[in-house]
Amino acid sequence: MFKLIDKYDNVLRYFLNENNLFFTSEKMDNGGEIKKMDLSNGNLIASKSTGSALFTFTKNANGFLAKDISGNGLLFSYLLDKPIEIPSPTKVGENHVLTDFISVYQGRIKNREFGIYSISSNDVLWMSSQLKALEVFGDKIFGQSEFVIYRTAPDTGRLLWKSDLKTKYRELIGIRGGVRILGLCENLVIAAIENIDKLIALDLATGVLKWDRTTLAGFYKLDIIKSKLHIITGAYKCLDPISGNALDSFDDQQYFKEVGIFSQRNNYAIDGDHLITTDYQKGIIGALNTATHKFDWLHEEEGVSFPTPSPVVYQAPYLLVHDNRGTLHIFQKE
């Protein structure tokens, strides 16, 4: 199904755009570097030195947003020409879908302000000390604090709705933490309350709870193309994100044990009917066919593992897997 075509050492983070691989590394002088490779021929197209190593990327059709471990942000075109810096002291927050709006913040933790930066105007549109932990999904902006989720208008910060999950789930009272937003599906916000193993859906327009389900919520991934919620651990389950109802289940743990894959990640890759994931300890990667409940492809790398924080990335025809020694394994679909 896939063949190994190359490996790159000393890789920190990575992503694909068309046939091009972008990846970062750390220099001996504590600076960083980002490179662009043509995977069709293995040639280096461009490279760019950065003041510090870059760890997070959010891309769109025109380019990508990159940030370092301190939250400093840079906007690049895919040519890797001169980037645009997000003005200091503003730091970059959580951004999942990039259009014109970028979540930013400034100040120390106790006095932190959050707001929105506009790419088109190259300016911060607004800042607020009341709205916390903003996350951007295109032009949909969400924030949260102590299990209170809210949605705001992107251009003004005006509060559109607020949903206090503690009124529904009293067991959250006194617990520190928050929810993880998995994504948007039609008119719903899909989120995981990992503290109490709840998967929930809120109405995008009103914030009203539409459904919830008790499950290992933190391991689910939203398949936007097929409108499904998948989970693969030592079993496989699939839910309808619109209703929360079960669509499929395969709970033969002996089969997963024989194959050698017990997954503990939510950042696996999706290729049609296949979920491409790794074992949480051994250097095994495989593609589960969700229609047949069988692994159609398995590959093992000796002496390494594939850590959960490093995402499995697939963009046809290339597959990227990052090991615990900093080596990026590149596969091509046959």
Side-chain angles (χ1 to χ4, degrees):
M1 188 170 174
F2 293 93
K3 64 178 180 180
L4 182 67
I5 61 170
D6 213 339
K7 295 181 182 181
Y8 292 103
D9 296 326
N10 188 32
V11 173
L12 290 177
R13 294 293 186 269
Y14 46 90
F15 69 92
L16 292 166
N17 183 63
E18 298 179 343
N19 287 329
N20 298 320
L21 165 68
F22 292 78
F23 67 94
T24 63
S25 57
E26 196 166 18
K27 291 184 175 181
M28 295 296 291
D29 61 0
N30 294 323
E33 185 176 31
I34 183 167
K35 294 182 178 180
K36 176 183 179 182
M37 306 288 299
D38 185 339
L39 291 180
S40 65
N41 54 31
N43 291 336
L44 175 66
I45 299 174
S47 65
K48 188 81 173 178
S49 294
T50 53
S52 56
L54 303 175
F55 283 86
T56 305
F57 303 100
T58 310
K59 62 178 187 175
N60 63 16
N62 301 316
F64 60 94
L65 168 68
K67 70 175 181 177
D68 65 15
I69 197 168
S70 299
N72 300 304
L74 295 169
L75 285 163
F76 284 92
S77 76
Y78 288 117
L79 298 175
L80 291 189
D81 48 10
K82 186 177 181 180
I84 299 171
E85 294 186 19
I86 306 298
S88 179
T90 307
K91 306 292 186 179
V92 173
E94 295 296 320
N95 297 276
H96 305 278
V97 179
L98 183 63
T99 54
D100 184 52
F101 304 110
I102 296 176
S103 168
V104 294
Y105 65 90
Q106 61 186 19
R108 297 183 179 274
I109 293 177
K110 289 185 177 180
N111 299 307
R112 185 159 291 175
E113 293 181 315
F114 288 83
I116 292 296
Y117 170 91
S118 166
I119 297 175
S120 60
S121 64
N122 191 28
D123 197 11
V124 174
L125 298 181
W126 55 269
M127 279 283 187
S128 170
S129 60
Q130 303 300 313
L131 304 176
K132 303 295 184 181
L134 297 182
E135 298 185 51
V136 171
F137 291 81
D139 62 352
K140 310 296 190 297
I141 314 297
F142 305 94
Q144 59 176 296
S145 177
E146 298 179 350
F147 298 103
V148 178
I149 304 177
Y150 42 81
R151 180 182 171 192
T152 69
D155 53 345
T156 64
R158 179 174 60 87
L159 186 67
L160 300 179
W161 54 256
K162 180 170 67 173
S163 178
D164 187 349
L165 297 176
K166 298 189 296 298
T167 60
K168 169 68 175 178
Y169 308 106
R170 306 294 293 177
E171 60 268 43
L172 291 175
I173 297 175
I175 295 178
R176 298 183 65 180
V179 305
R180 184 168 63 86
I181 299 176
L182 305 186
L184 311 182
C185 188
E186 295 188 12
N187 61 342
L188 296 177
V189 182
I190 311 298
I193 315 176
E194 298 179 60
N195 306 68
I196 58 172
D197 290 330
K198 289 287 186 182
L199 195 64
I200 66 171
L202 303 176
D203 187 280
L204 178 61
T206 65
V208 172
L209 180 69
K210 304 300 288 187
W211 60 260
D212 67 354
R213 191 178 183 94
T214 302
T215 183
L216 293 172
F219 291 111
Y220 275 87
K221 181 169 183 171
L222 178 61
D223 182 347
I224 299 175
I225 294 176
K226 290 197 170 187
S227 189
K228 291 181 178 180
L229 279 162
H230 300 285
I231 181 174
I232 178 170
T233 51
Y236 166 69
K237 290 181 173 60
C238 179
L239 304 179
D240 175 8
I242 305 304
S243 66
N245 295 332
L247 297 176
D248 193 11
S249 178
F250 177 62
D251 199 18
D252 188 348
Q253 295 189 20
Q254 183 61 33
Y255 174 71
F256 283 87
K257 184 177 180 180
E258 291 171 357
V259 167
I261 289 184
F262 187 89
S263 180
Q264 289 190 350
R265 64 167 68 238
N266 52 39
N267 54 2
Y268 47 82
I270 301 176
D271 175 23
D273 288 333
H274 290 91
L275 305 184
I276 307 169
T277 191
T278 66
D279 184 70
Y280 79 106
Q281 288 182 319
K282 303 181 293 294
I284 301 176
I285 182 170
L288 176 73
N289 188 323
T290 58
T292 65
H293 299 156
K294 300 295 180 184
F295 279 90
D296 290 339
W297 174 72
L298 292 166
H299 177 87
E300 184 171 7
E301 289 287 326
E302 296 288 346
V304 300
S305 63
F306 298 121
T308 299
S310 299
V312 179
V313 175
Y314 176 70
Q315 182 177 305
Y318 299 108
L319 172 69
L320 309 179
V321 191
H322 193 228
D323 72 28
N324 60 316
R325 296 180 177 177
T327 297
L328 185 65
H329 303 247
I330 303 170
F331 299 84
Q332 185 172 12
K333 194 169 186 178
E334 298 181 295

